[in-house]
Amino acid sequence: MKDKMEDMNPETREMVEILENESPAIRIGIVANYSDGYETRMLLTPEACGMLTSGGIKVCMESGAGSDISFPDEKYAEYGVRIVTRDEALSAPVVLCYTPLRAKDIKKMQKGAALLCMMDNILFEHSTVKALLDKKIATGCFDNMYSHNDEPVFANIIDEIDGRAAIMYAEEALSYLGGGKGVLLAGVAGINPCEVLIIGMGNDMISAAKAGAATGARVTLMDNDTSTLQVAKDLTGPMVEAIAVHPRVLYNRVKTADVIILGNTTRPFEFPNNLKAAMKENAYVLDMNETHPSVSVPRTVAMALSTALVNFFDEMAIKNGFYGMVATTPGVQFGIVTYEGKLVDKLIGSYLGLPSVDINVMLSAAN
């Protein structure tokens, strides 16, 4: 680089030096999951970290952070990641973790740093929000952010994995080793396939329906909105029955289902308690509002998220850091929870009884 600089004319050399001085390298600290929690998922693989470090982004990681996805520290170190203590990772200008940090760790962060994570109930705790506001942490939740073409890329990735993994859960639960009746979801010659009933709509439900059909099971997808069912039918194909929620039809499907997967319907719907008595004795029921099957395949999650995150951080580098990205990227603004000492998420503010402000007003005032 020095030789190339010497070959440049004085004006060009001066411009390059100015740009280099005005664009300091982004530093990211990756923090491990809490050992007393259920979370196993992680955001970046070693290869993805290598793509970031080769682009000039500095990455450090808490020792052992990659153990949940079966990658040792040495593998990350091969790709230019510096292995450090938890406190040192927390001191980076940009801290990366799957679930939000707890208050005790937030207090160890730099004032005005950025915390990037996925949305979790931790952000609905007073102590967490207070710590974020006190340290003026800019908190961004990936699963609430949108891409340049208005797609919730990160949320879509997790939903698809959750849906596919839900069928994996069902297969295991029906097997003898899983404590079930010892049956396959799929049918074989002379035997009917198992019946999978999916009640709800969304990427996770669509993915579960497609995965169930791929095993050979008989899959029914139910929702209470006809228009969304029409879209679902186009997405899932002829092997999935897309049916509107109707009391009699619902009852008939529930009593024959071997697997029932519950999610969010388009319009408010609560599964009737009286239908529980109609279920098969050994039917497997999974409520997607209560669990994330993707926690059982954390390496797949990290691999799937890594490509999107490499693009995210490349754009961040172009825009001179996280604050520059927030100021110029509307899709990212949707995922911001706290910003410059203010709570900007209306839902969290309403839940906690705290005042919130519109981030667009803050950004407009700053300009």
Side-chain angles (χ1 to χ4, degrees):
M1 181 65 181
K2 184 177 179 181
D3 293 336
K4 291 181 180 180
M5 288 279 286
E6 290 174 350
D7 293 337
M8 296 177 183
N9 63 56
E11 290 184 1
T12 304
R13 189 187 311 139
E14 182 180 0
M15 181 63 67
V16 171
E17 290 174 349
I18 290 173
L19 289 174
E20 286 183 344
N21 291 334
E22 289 183 351
S23 303
I26 292 173
R27 291 196 296 118
I28 300 171
I30 302 173
V31 179
N33 293 316
Y34 289 106
S35 59
D36 61 347
Y38 72 92
E39 191 56 71
T40 60
R41 293 167 291 184
M42 193 174 172
L43 296 169
L44 289 171
T45 62
E47 292 85 353
C49 288
M51 295 175 71
L52 296 179
T53 57
S54 65
I57 295 175
K58 297 182 178 180
V59 182
C60 66
M61 185 185 79
E62 177 186 354
S63 179
S67 60
D68 285 339
I69 57 173
S70 303
F71 280 122
D73 291 345
E74 293 75 17
K75 193 66 176 177
Y76 280 91
E78 287 178 15
Y79 287 92
V81 177
R82 193 163 59 90
I83 306 303
V84 298
T85 63
R86 186 176 183 85
D87 284 357
E88 190 168 352
L90 288 169
S91 68
V94 178
V95 176
L96 194 65
C97 54
Y98 196 91
T99 54
L101 295 174
R102 297 171 183 171
K104 65 177 182 179
D105 281 334
I106 295 169
K107 293 175 181 177
K108 298 177 182 179
M109 293 178 64
Q110 288 185 25
K111 189 171 185 178
L115 170 62
L116 298 176
C117 57
M118 304 293 273
M119 178 59 75
D120 188 85
N121 290 337
I122 296 174
L123 286 174
F124 287 82
E125 297 177 3
H126 273 281
S127 59
T128 301
V129 173
K130 183 179 185 303
L132 291 169
L133 297 180
D134 288 346
K135 297 286 287 191
K136 293 190 175 181
I137 303 298
T139 310
C141 293
F142 289 120
D143 42 348
N144 286 345
M145 295 180 185
Y146 285 78
S147 66
H148 61 88
N149 57 341
D150 294 327
E151 284 292 329
V153 176
F154 299 104
N156 285 346
I157 289 171
I158 298 303
D159 282 346
E160 181 175 358
I161 297 174
D162 273 335
R164 292 181 179 276
I167 296 301
M168 182 183 73
Y169 273 28
E171 289 181 299
E172 181 179 355
L174 292 179
S175 73
Y176 179 77
L177 293 177
K181 296 179 291 185
V183 298
L184 283 172
L185 275 181
V188 295
I191 302 175
N192 285 328
C194 287
E195 295 186 26
V196 177
L197 174 61
I198 300 172
I199 304 173
M201 192 57 63
N203 287 329
D204 51 352
M205 300 290 101
I206 296 292
S207 296
K210 292 166 68 175
T215 68
R218 180 186 176 190
V219 180
T220 300
L221 177 65
M222 301 189 78
D223 189 56
N224 48 19
D225 184 87
T226 303
S227 62
T228 55
L229 285 169
Q230 291 172 339
V231 174
K233 188 62 179 176
D234 291 338
L235 294 173
T236 56
M239 299 303 293
V240 175
E241 295 181 86
I243 302 175
V245 173
H246 180 279
R248 183 177 298 175
V249 177
L250 180 61
Y251 173 80
N252 289 333
R253 296 293 170 138
V254 166
K255 72 178 183 180
T256 60
D258 300 284
V259 175
I260 300 175
I261 299 176
L262 304 173
N264 292 317
T265 50
T266 303
R267 294 188 175 88
F269 170 81
E270 187 172 341
F271 190 81
N273 285 325
N274 63 317
L275 286 187
K276 294 178 181 178
M279 292 181 188
K280 285 184 177 180
E281 182 179 351
N282 294 313
Y284 174 69
V285 180
L286 177 65
D287 190 340
M288 296 286 272
N289 291 310
E290 296 179 354
T291 185
H292 286 286
S294 56
V295 298
S296 62
V297 286
R299 187 160 176 157
T300 296
V301 171
M303 292 171 66
L305 289 174
S306 285
T307 300
L309 283 170
V310 168
N311 294 336
F312 180 90
F313 285 115
D314 283 346
E315 184 176 351
M316 184 190 296
I318 292 171
K319 295 181 176 180
N320 293 323
F322 184 65
Y323 282 92
M325 193 173 189
V326 172
T328 58
T329 317
V332 172
Q333 294 166 14
F334 284 113
I336 305 303
V337 176
T338 59
Y339 191 77
E340 294 188 344
K342 303 292 184 182
L343 178 63
V344 296
D345 188 293
K346 293 181 180 179
L347 178 61
I348 293 176
S350 176
Y351 180 84
L352 296 177
L354 297 174
S356 62
V357 299
D358 189 330
I359 189 171
N360 291 309
V361 174
M362 292 182 66
L363 294 173
S364 298
N367 293 330

